[in-house]
Amino acid sequence: MPTSAGLDLDTLRGFRHSPRNLHQLRHRVEVHLDQAGGYVAFSGGKDSLVALHLTLAVEPDIPVVFFDSGLEFPETYTYLSEVADRWRLNLNVVAATHTTLEILAATGAWDHHATPAQCVPDLHQVLISEPAARAHNLYGPGEIWGVRAQESRGRAAAYANGLRAEQATTCRGCCSSPQDSRAHHGGLIRRVDGTTAFGPVWDWKTDEIWGYIARHHLPPNPVYAKLRRLGAPEHFLRVSHMLDATRLEEGRVTWLRRGWPAIFEDLAAVLPRIREFL
């Protein structure tokens, strides 16, 4: 956890009153699971941790799915095992058919002397679409996830479109204000393949996530604390695969080299151009 002048800022956030109606959120999780079944997607990150905790209060035995890209922080694997044991999770690992590193190397874009493979798998398809389809085939069309609108314009747009769709199809005068409408209908994304994702923390801010974690004494992934010790700013505190094509110009590779030097050298041997972003 971050500290400032001897104070734990996340603990202080935990003392703040939360405007969220947690009873209503848990009820929406329950309704979603009753209608669609499915699983909780747990990445090991802070947002999915809160979504998981909210869901376990409703359904302790729900399948919990970790999508393994093959390029996760080593601490994440240990953390998942520890949380699974501590909370007795029904944890299931769905591994990508090609690892992130294999796909990045196959593009040839990371090595000036490499020849691109003739057929390079699509990263989004391999890491997200295909594993999610396998999980849905196993556990049902529903999904609880920790995706938040604040994290990107694409996610914000998806949730905004989902809210408008729910208002048009399911709202029957039950909402007296835009705030009521967001609380009753926001966070749902119905996909064309028949699957439905619900994000109980879809419109939460980062401070709210850390505050919830502090209030409920949840164990955050130690990668966050390590990145903070290295001096990484708040927007770099993301637990996902260690390397992809995002945020390279903003110093992402620098934090990787500082915190995990041996892993960085191994990656640089396969993807030598990552040194250009230091």
Side-chain angles (χ1 to χ4, degrees), residues 6 21 45 76 106 111 146 156 166 186 243 274:
N21 185 333
T76 295
D111 185 345
E166 293 302 307
L243 185 69
I274 64 173

Side-chain angles (χ1 to χ4, degrees), residues 2-272:
T3 57
S4 176
L7 296 177
D8 187 325
L9 298 185
D10 289 334
T11 299
L12 291 178
R13 291 166 182 160
F15 284 109
R16 295 177 184 171
H17 170 72
S18 172
R20 303 293 173 176
N21 185 333
L22 298 183
H23 175 75
Q24 182 185 50
L25 275 175
R26 295 188 190 104
H27 176 69
R28 290 199 63 197
V29 168
E30 183 176 19
V31 170
H32 177 74
L33 294 177
D34 286 344
Q35 293 177 348
Y39 61 91
V40 180
F42 184 39
S43 68
K46 65 185 186 303
D47 304 329
S48 65
L49 177 65
V50 174
L52 173 62
H53 188 256
L54 288 167
T55 305
L56 292 177
V58 174
E59 179 48 72
D61 297 323
I62 188 170
V64 179
V65 177
F66 171 66
F67 298 108
D68 188 359
S69 72
L71 197 57
E72 311 293 329
F73 288 100
E75 292 89 344
T76 295
Y77 294 109
T78 303
Y79 170 73
L80 289 168
S81 179
E82 291 174 349
V83 173
D85 289 343
R86 177 174 174 176
W87 288 356
R88 299 182 179 180
L89 299 180
N90 178 13
L91 181 65
N92 305 268
V93 177
V94 177
T97 54
H98 302 277
T99 70
T100 301
L101 182 58
E102 289 171 341
I103 297 173
L104 294 179
T107 65
W110 299 82
D111 185 345
H112 289 296
H113 304 291
T115 301
Q118 291 185 347
C119 183
V120 179
D122 178 76
L123 200 61
H124 185 276
Q125 182 73 19
V126 169
L127 297 185
I128 298 177
S129 301
E130 291 177 357
R134 278 186 275 156
H136 284 299
N137 286 336
L138 289 170
Y139 307 116
E143 178 182 13
I144 303 289
W145 63 3
V147 173
R148 291 189 296 127
Q150 187 186 38
E151 293 184 314
S152 73
R153 291 181 180 178
R155 292 176 175 182
Y159 277 126
N161 292 335
L163 176 57
R164 284 193 290 269
E166 293 302 307
Q167 289 170 330
T169 58
T170 65
C171 187
R172 297 292 182 269
C174 58
C175 303
S176 59
S177 68
Q179 291 75 19
D180 283 346
S181 183
R182 289 170 65 88
H184 283 93
H185 304 293
L188 274 173
I189 297 178
R190 301 185 189 273
R191 307 187 183 101
V192 295
D193 64 0
T195 62
T196 304
F198 175 53
V201 297
W202 72 279
D203 60 345
W204 288 32
K205 305 302 182 186
T206 300
D207 282 357
E208 292 183 88
I209 294 292
W210 286 119
Y212 183 99
I213 289 172
R215 279 192 299 277
H216 294 273
H217 307 288
L218 307 187
N221 191 319
V223 171
Y224 289 114
K226 186 168 184 175
L227 287 170
R228 282 169 169 150
R229 289 195 301 270
L230 294 168
E234 183 68 32
H235 66 279
F236 273 102
L237 303 182
R238 297 174 65 90
V239 173
S240 60
H241 34 275
M242 288 184 285
L243 185 69
D244 57 29
T246 62
R247 297 186 179 276
L248 297 179
E249 293 84 1
E250 300 176 39
R252 181 177 182 178
V253 177
T254 299
W255 308 121
L256 177 61
R257 186 181 67 166
R258 290 180 181 177
W260 296 266
I263 293 176
F264 171 82
E265 293 300 330
D266 289 341
L267 290 173
V270 181
L271 311 172

